[in-house]
């Protein structure tokens, strides 16, 4: 696949220095393929995934199944926007589990409900992953699938500060 080859061509070969890889949206699917197919000759120290597109337009479990194949021991930081449509599409799949927290699928949820739905779906998926013990999850307030795609400048500034803070904390510990 061209995307996988393109990423591998950019990876450092010096194994004496730590390095990190950050994906956004589709880039996370490429990273997932690299990890699960063991294609890194010099694996990154840690992985950072912003806005993984969990549920595509067909809302199948295909992308979730790919995440389940990530082996234990991979340190991963996952950051989603609270209004990430690629996560919230999955609420129908999880309606039975979260029926007391998710209103009718045709209603417009309030912000707290949307945040909790996003958090619940992400946590539920992570708890079933092989590498669940080395995953950190953060939900970015006001953000959508692009994590930083907020409605106002103030919300964007808050999102940027949060995301940078989470990344710095993750790579320095």
């Amino acid at each position: 696949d061209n995307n996988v080859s393109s990423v591998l061509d950019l990876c450092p070969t010096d194994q004496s220095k730590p390095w990190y890889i950050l994906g956004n949206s589709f880039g996370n699917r490429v990273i997932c393929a690299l990890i699960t197919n063991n294609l890194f000759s010099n694996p990154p120290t840690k992985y950072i995934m912003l806005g993984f597109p969990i549920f595509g337009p067909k809302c199948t479990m295909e992308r979730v199944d790919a995440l389940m194949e990530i082996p234990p021991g991979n340190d991963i930081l996952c950051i989603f926007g609270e209004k990430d449509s690629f996560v919230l599409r999955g609420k129908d799949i999880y309606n039975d589990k979260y029926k007391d927290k998710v209103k009718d699928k045709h209603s417009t949820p309030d912000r707290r409900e949307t945040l909790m739905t996003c958090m619940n779906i992400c946590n539920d998926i992570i708890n079933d992953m092989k590498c669940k013990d080395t995953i950190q999850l953060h939900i970015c307030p006001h953000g959508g699938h692009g994590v930083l795609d907020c409605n106002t400048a103030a919300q964007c500034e808050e999102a940027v500060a949060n995301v940078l803070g989470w990344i710095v904390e993750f790579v320095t510990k």
Side-chain angles (χ1 to χ4, degrees):
D1 172 74
N2 288 339
N3 295 308
V4 168
S5 296
S6 295
V7 172
L8 287 174
D9 288 345
L10 298 172
C11 294
T13 55
D14 182 356
Q15 296 184 3
S16 68
K17 297 178 183 176
W19 71 280
Y20 313 93
I21 191 165
L22 183 146
N24 186 47
S25 192
F26 181 78
N28 291 315
R29 294 179 66 195
V30 174
I31 290 172
C32 189
L34 288 163
I35 298 170
T36 57
N37 293 307
N38 199 26
L39 297 176
F40 286 112
S41 60
N42 175 26
T45 308
K46 297 184 179 193
Y47 303 88
I48 302 163
M49 297 183 171
L50 303 178
F52 192 100
I54 294 176
F55 297 104
K58 295 178 186 172
C59 204
T60 66
M61 296 297 285
E62 173 190 5
R63 297 174 184 187
V64 174
D65 292 343
L67 287 169
M68 297 301 159
E69 295 305 313
I70 298 174
N74 288 287
D75 288 334
I76 302 172
L77 172 63
C78 295
I79 303 174
F80 293 93
E82 73 175 39
K83 300 178 289 186
D84 189 332
S85 61
F86 285 91
V87 175
L88 296 174
R89 277 183 190 144
K91 78 176 186 177
D92 291 340
I93 293 171
Y94 291 88
N95 251 346
D96 288 337
K97 185 165 187 169
Y98 302 120
K99 62 183 173 229
D100 59 329
K101 296 179 179 143
V102 180
K103 295 180 184 173
D104 179 275
K105 67 181 180 180
H106 300 294
S107 68
T108 303
D110 64 23
R111 183 167 175 254
R112 182 170 174 1
E113 180 184 357
T114 301
L115 176 64
M116 291 308 300
T117 300
C118 187
M119 181 69 81
N120 287 334
I121 291 170
C122 291
N123 276 323
D124 196 56
I125 291 168
I126 288 170
N127 286 333
D128 288 339
M129 291 175 67
K130 295 174 185 174
C131 61
K132 66 183 175 192
D133 295 333
T134 53
I135 294 179
Q136 288 184 32
L137 170 67
H138 292 282
I139 306 295
C140 191
H142 312 291
H145 179 62
V147 180
L148 302 176
D149 50 349
C150 304
N151 292 329
T152 68
Q155 290 174 349
C156 285
E157 287 176 18
E158 177 186 352
V160 167
N162 283 330
V163 169
L164 289 177
W166 294 327
I167 290 173
V168 168
E169 178 185 329
F170 179 69
V171 300
T172 57
K173 68 173 201 169

